[in-house]
Amino acid sequence: MNAMGSISKDDVISIGQLSARTGVAVSAIRFYEEKGLLQPIRTSGNQRRFLRSDIRRVSFVLIAQRLGLSLHEIEEQLSLLPQGRTPNPRDWRQISQQMRRSIDKKIELLSLTRAKLDECIGCGCLSLAKCQLYNKADKMGASGATGPRLVLD
Amino acid sequence: MNAMGSISKDDVISIGQLSARTGVAVSAIRFYEEKGLLQPIRTSGNQRRFLRSDIRRVSFVLIAQRLGLSLHEIEEQLSLLPQGRTPNPRDWRQISQQMRRSIDKKIELLSLTRAKLDECIGCGCLSLAKCQLYNKADKMGASGATGPRLVLD
DNA sequence: ATGCAACCTCAAGATAACTTGAGGTCAAGA
DNA sequence: TCTTGACCTCAAGTTATCTTGAGGTTGCAT
């Protein structure tokens, strides 16, 4: 912004620049926009212009992805922020603690599965009726809209 | 088999029966066949007939899926067995130990990520250049044929 | 003024693991 | 014999996360 509060040319960056800064392909950035993760403004010639803070916003997306969040979940997190702002350190602390809890859960589930597997190694059973592992998994997941789809989440 | 060694009607089951026994949808069974996981024979009228042991084979697929193996990986495991037989308890012990190792790896990775996340919670940084979490993940995955696709595996 | 890299849109392709649907056949009981 | 449920094939749809390509436009440097 300049002294007048308006947006000057130097405050915004092109999609190519955002791509270069974040390592995310141009096509992916357009895709993120489509999914509501970014809301660039347009030039008179219809080209996208991003705020510098969008670099941080994309970083957030990348990091959250590493932690296993889907783009949809990430979008939800972002939309929870007041005024849909890009997460600041304080927001980040909130969100990352929530992520931590979800990682804890994943680890717990894997440990449980591992324990069951250890039993299975001993028994060698492969019976759907009796196998603890399968039954356990069954309770975990049967829900899947698409059948036996889930992968130990 | 009967005394003659030929396959009698009672040795085999229809796709519907296999579905009922395993809980796997008929369409999914056909799909598994297409992927090489099952190799039913056909009646004169072109209907599939499965061996009873295929129930166990499908159970194996389900369990392996729970452990995070893709159908492709499962097919590989099965094809390693002599004569492409359905895994018996001894085979199962081999395979499940290998799976155990892979679960161990996943847990390790998650723990690592969690540790990094804890650091991040403290620092509140969201800089791609500096964030340990992101850099770590980067080294783990950048490979992805499709860009930032991986999910903390 | 012009050239050309960078940008735009929209459609389609890729992968995993299946499902759904259309249109037709088989088999077993009444 | 007829009927009907179970089966068959093949094509297309689904979700997530993008990429690739075709065909056309912009904007900055010379």
Side-chain angles (χ1 to χ4, degrees), chain B:
Chain B
M1 311 279 188
N2 59 24
M4 307 281 293
S6 61
I7 293 178
S8 95
K9 197 175 156 187
D10 297 335
D11 291 322
V12 295
I13 59 181
S14 70
I15 195 169
Q17 290 173 313
L18 182 56
S19 169
R21 290 313 208 75
T22 59
V24 170
V26 166
S27 62
I29 293 175
R30 294 205 188 97
F31 181 74
Y32 290 163
E33 178 190 359
E34 198 182 317
K35 291 298 173 185
L37 296 166
L38 296 169
Q39 285 161 283
I41 53 181
R42 301 289 181 132
T43 66
S44 55
N46 197 34
Q47 297 199 353
R48 291 170 179 82
R49 287 299 177 258
F50 296 85
L51 297 176
R52 290 190 171 285
S53 67
D54 282 330
I55 297 173
R56 204 150 41 89
R57 202 175 171 88
V58 171
S59 305
F60 176 76
V61 172
L62 293 177
I63 293 173
Q65 271 189 317
R66 300 300 171 159
L67 296 176
L69 300 211
S70 67
L71 288 185
H72 182 66
E73 292 168 317
I74 296 171
E75 199 275 315
E76 282 178 352
Q77 289 286 350
L78 287 174
S79 70
L80 286 181
L81 299 178
Q83 291 103 38
R85 70 159 177 259
T86 286
N88 63 25
R90 194 173 146 63
D91 298 326
W92 170 239
R93 217 159 302 146
Q94 287 260 324
I95 295 173
S96 55
Q97 291 200 7
Q98 198 175 313
M99 289 179 181
R100 210 214 121 105
R101 284 193 287 280
S102 105
I103 292 186
D104 285 346
K105 251 194 222 157
K106 283 182 201 211
I107 291 183
E108 243 177 80
L109 236 99
L110 276 174
S111 302
L112 227 156
T113 303
R114 185 171 58 182
K116 288 298 174 194
L117 183 56
D118 284 345
E119 283 176 33
C120 267
I121 292 175
C123 86
C125 75
L126 273 175
S127 153
L128 274 190
K130 289 183 288 179
C131 180
Q132 288 299 312
L133 228 189
Y134 182 74
N135 288 328
K136 176 75 193 96
D138 207 29
K139 269 146 208 158
M140 276 158 49
S143 54
T146 328
R149 163 84 61 91
L150 89 162
V151 178
L152 207 57
D153 55 348

Side-chain angles (χ1 to χ4, degrees), chain A residues 132-143:
Chain A
Q132 290 299 313
L133 228 189
Y134 181 72
N135 288 330
K136 177 72 191 96
D138 207 30
K139 269 146 207 157
M140 277 160 45
S143 54

